[in-house]
Amino acid sequence: MTPNPSLVLNKIDDISFETYDAPEISQPTDVIVEVKKTGICGSDIHYYAHGKIGKFVLTKPMVLGHESSGIVSKIGPGVTSLKVGDKVAIEPGVPSRYSDEYKSGHYNLCPHMCFAATPSASGDNPPGTLCKYYKSPEDFLVKLPDHVSLDMGALVEPTSVGVHAAKLANLKFGDYVAVFGAGPVGLLAASVAKLFGAAGVIVVDIFDTKLELAKSIGAATHVFNSKTGGAEELIQAFDGHSPSVILECTGAEVCIGLGVEIAAPGARFVQVGNAGSAVKFPITEFATKEMTLFGSFRYGFNDYKTAVKIFDENYKNGNDNAPIDFEQLITHRFKFDDAIKAYDLVRAGTGSVKCIIDGPE
């Protein structure tokens, strides 16, 4: 068998390097990807620190990682859209092909989802992507254009979260958009809003360095530090515009309330960030404005392809002429052998935005 070096979370505060057998082709449409780049997600850190996220509880060792890109190394006999050597972004969640959610076009809601590095309700731990070789069905891989780097391929996963939120909100040309939270998901959601044709995008956070980054990469037309004022000051900072779309990426009660307060009548509000517990909600103002509230969970049909198309268009004229400087979001890069150091760095909260780990050599 071919060895498959992997980064494994054994339990809270315990990560180790292990070597397993590499996966093999078992279905005609299987593809083996040699993983080259993997981003660290906040959910990875949550499992590392707490061993669970809601009902998803770590009960046995689990290979980490789900934001990855790589090179196709083997294909099954039924694969037609990819060939060995292609660069791909890996969509890490595969639903049951028999669920009502899958059949109705909402496969991200499938209760039998097999999602990389996420414990299932049955106690199984689908393997993550922080390994040398990863097996995926052909239709959950998206080919990367030649001018889109593997680093950007690793950013496709969190960008797809922003794409999904924008689609839920029916975000369209001319909308004014407020994004709460300037972490990786918020910055990518703001970037998507800008590229979808928003007339203005204001990013709200409490850290000036994050807000400066939102403007520097080209995602935000306006920024606002919510420590400096409330709804009136925020709207003033947005040149008097009450946003028609709110993308709430923090899960913080104060941000949710402020989002409703600043929203225009008829606004669409998408809850992207998760809260640790129940929050108070300004239901009366929400109702009298006839707003629409959307829950947003991961990504669904065509969101990955849309995210890849965003990178395709963004970089078609070269990095120096890209409308959004996504490269700035990658603040730290690590070799695979230093992956534990990478996790500790992100867990410590020492100013990293997106940390990318190379695949095993």
Side-chain angles (χ1 to χ4, degrees):
M1 297 292 289
T2 303
N4 195 24
S6 306
L7 186 72
V8 177
L9 175 63
N10 299 295
K11 57 185 178 180
I12 294 173
D13 298 332
D14 183 359
I15 295 177
S16 63
F17 294 102
E18 306 293 340
T19 299
Y20 301 121
D21 291 333
E24 296 287 343
I25 300 290
S26 57
Q27 299 294 325
T29 54
D30 281 347
V31 176
I32 306 298
V33 179
E34 185 173 349
V35 178
K36 295 297 185 182
K37 304 289 180 178
T38 299
I40 296 180
C41 175
S43 64
D44 297 327
I45 301 302
H46 209 82
Y47 285 122
Y48 185 19
H50 306 290
K52 63 179 181 179
I53 299 177
K55 65 180 181 180
F56 304 108
V57 181
L58 182 74
T59 59
K60 57 186 178 182
M62 173 179 77
V63 178
L64 288 162
H66 63 268
E67 299 181 1
S68 290
S69 64
I71 305 291
V72 173
S73 65
K74 292 182 183 178
I75 59 173
V79 173
T80 59
S81 64
L82 296 169
K83 64 183 185 301
V84 172
D86 282 345
K87 295 188 301 181
V88 292
I90 303 170
E91 183 171 349
V94 180
S96 164
R97 309 296 185 150
Y98 304 101
S99 70
D100 288 343
E101 291 79 8
Y102 175 79
K103 291 177 180 178
S104 67
H106 303 92
Y107 67 78
N108 57 313
L109 304 180
C110 174
H112 310 293
M113 174 70 76
C114 181
F115 197 91
T118 300
S120 68
S122 65
D124 294 330
N125 289 343
T129 57
L130 253 174
C131 53
K132 188 171 180 65
Y133 297 107
Y134 184 80
K135 182 168 73 172
S136 173
E138 172 187 15
D139 56 330
F140 280 81
L141 299 171
V142 181
K143 185 177 177 180
L144 297 174
D146 290 341
H147 56 271
V148 175
S149 70
L150 287 164
D151 279 343
M152 293 300 100
L155 284 186
V156 170
E157 197 275 347
T159 303
S160 296
V161 174
V163 168
H164 190 63
K167 288 182 178 181
L168 285 170
N170 191 26
L171 201 159
K172 56 187 181 297
F173 187 86
D175 272 323
Y176 286 92
V177 181
V179 178
F180 284 84
V185 169
L187 291 170
L188 289 167
S191 301
V192 169
K194 183 83 172 295
L195 295 172
F196 269 36
V201 179
I202 188 166
V203 175
V204 184
D205 205 288
I206 59 173
F207 295 104
D208 287 334
T209 52
K210 292 184 176 181
L211 296 174
E212 289 165 7
L213 181 60
K215 293 203 76 172
S216 176
I217 68 171
T221 58
H222 301 72
V223 295
F224 182 73
N225 189 318
S226 53
K227 285 185 175 180
T228 65
E232 183 177 343
E233 289 79 13
L234 196 160
I235 291 172
Q236 184 177 357
F238 206 13
D239 296 335
H241 297 293
S242 292
S244 47
V245 173
I246 310 291
L247 304 179
E248 207 299 299
C249 301
T250 72
E253 183 178 298
V254 64
C255 294
I256 295 169
L258 184 57
V260 173
E261 192 175 355
I262 64 171
R268 293 94 72 196
F269 190 114
V270 184
Q271 188 59 46
V272 183
N274 292 320
S277 59
V279 299
K280 294 180 180 178
F281 188 81
I283 194 68
T284 300
E285 184 169 6
F286 185 87
T288 55
K289 286 183 175 179
E290 288 200 351
M291 294 173 63
T292 305
L293 176 65
F294 298 91
S296 185
F297 186 56
R298 294 175 179 156
Y299 28 78
F301 176 67
N302 249 358
D303 293 338
Y304 242 70
K305 289 182 179 179
T306 301
V308 170
K309 186 64 175 176
I310 283 174
F311 287 115
D312 185 9
E313 289 293 315
N314 194 67
Y315 289 107
K316 66 181 179 181
N317 295 317
N319 286 15
D320 292 340
N321 298 307
I324 304 290
D325 186 6
F326 291 105
E327 297 280 353
Q328 276 198 65
L329 298 179
I330 302 176
T331 53
H332 296 80
R333 289 177 170 85
F334 286 84
K335 297 294 185 183
F336 181 77
D337 290 345
D338 294 322
I340 297 175
K341 294 179 183 178
Y343 269 78
D344 287 338
L345 173 94
V346 177
R347 181 176 177 177
T350 53
S352 65
V353 179
K354 181 55 68 174
C355 179
I356 298 289
I357 300 170
D358 290 342
E361 296 181 358

